[in-house]
Amino acid sequence: AFKEAGNKVYMIMGARNKDLIFWQDKMKTACDELFITTDDGSLGEKGFVTGVLERLMNQEPINYAIAVGPMPMMRAVANMTKDKGIKTEASMNPIMVDGSGMCGACRCEIEGKPKFACIDGPEFDGHKVNYDLAMKRMNIYKEEEKEKWEQMKKSLGRD
């Protein structure tokens, strides 16, 4: 919709390696220019999305940023854009259990107030998110997730 409205749209996709990059063709149609970064350099530029973002911000005015992905990356993007006054949207992705806000699993702190990603979001002003608390909450079920992942791998014969 941004592109169809006549805006110049850059998209930066990043992942640990090329095997985790998907929908390149779809993404190319949604933007004017697609940049890909991988931590290991197996596809696109070696490095993080923030390196490309910094280069773009230094080349021309950027008016709006949307960050979707791992919490540390969204925090880094929000930190970079805040000083430049660039409106930034972060798509929060905590565990969502019932989609009604009743369970509280997806609670986030936005500008010091509790919000629920399932009903109030999941998109929030990236400069108002308490990323430290969000990352802490995301680690609550880390051991259970690891255990279930190992069980799933065993059941698929992928020890």
Side-chain angles (χ1 to χ4, degrees):
F2 284 115
K3 186 178 174 185
E4 289 174 6
N7 296 291
K8 187 172 188 178
V9 177
Y10 294 117
M11 186 172 303
I12 311 166
M13 296 175 66
R16 287 188 306 271
N17 59 58
K18 68 180 180 175
D19 297 329
L20 298 173
I21 298 288
F22 57 93
W23 287 355
Q24 290 177 60
D25 293 337
K26 288 182 181 185
M27 298 303 171
K28 282 180 186 174
T29 63
C31 64
D32 293 293
E33 195 166 352
L34 174 64
F35 298 89
I36 296 175
T37 66
T38 50
D39 298 2
D40 65 3
S42 58
L43 184 64
E45 296 181 36
K46 182 176 182 170
F48 303 118
V49 298
T50 50
V52 175
L53 178 59
E54 183 173 18
R55 188 171 68 236
L56 290 171
M57 289 190 313
N58 290 330
Q59 287 176 356
E60 63 187 270
I62 304 292
N63 300 312
Y64 192 74
I66 300 172
V68 179
M71 208 68 64
M73 180 276 294
M74 292 193 297
R75 176 176 55 187
V77 167
N79 288 341
M80 290 174 70
T81 59
K82 188 173 186 173
D83 292 340
K84 301 234 184 214
I86 300 169
K87 181 178 171 78
T88 301
E89 189 175 303
S91 184
M92 301 301 286
N93 56 359
I95 292 173
M96 295 184 205
V97 177
D98 66 4
S100 72
M102 294 300 293
C103 73
C106 68
R107 189 179 82 237
C108 304
E109 186 178 288
I110 311 298
E111 204 169 27
K113 297 182 178 103
K115 298 286 182 181
F116 299 94
C118 71
I119 56 173
D120 298 315
E123 289 79 25
F124 296 98
D125 182 329
H127 301 138
K128 296 178 179 178
V129 174
N130 181 336
Y131 293 100
D132 292 332
L133 180 60
M135 286 189 277
K136 191 176 195 179
R137 288 183 57 80
M138 285 184 71
N139 286 324
I140 290 172
Y141 299 108
K142 200 55 102 182
E143 287 303 314
E144 289 85 350
E145 289 174 5
K146 184 178 178 184
E147 183 180 315
K148 292 299 178 187
W149 177 249
E150 293 303 321
Q151 287 175 3
M152 185 185 78
K153 285 190 336 187
K154 266 188 180 177
S155 73
L156 296 171
R158 297 183 183 169
D159 293 341

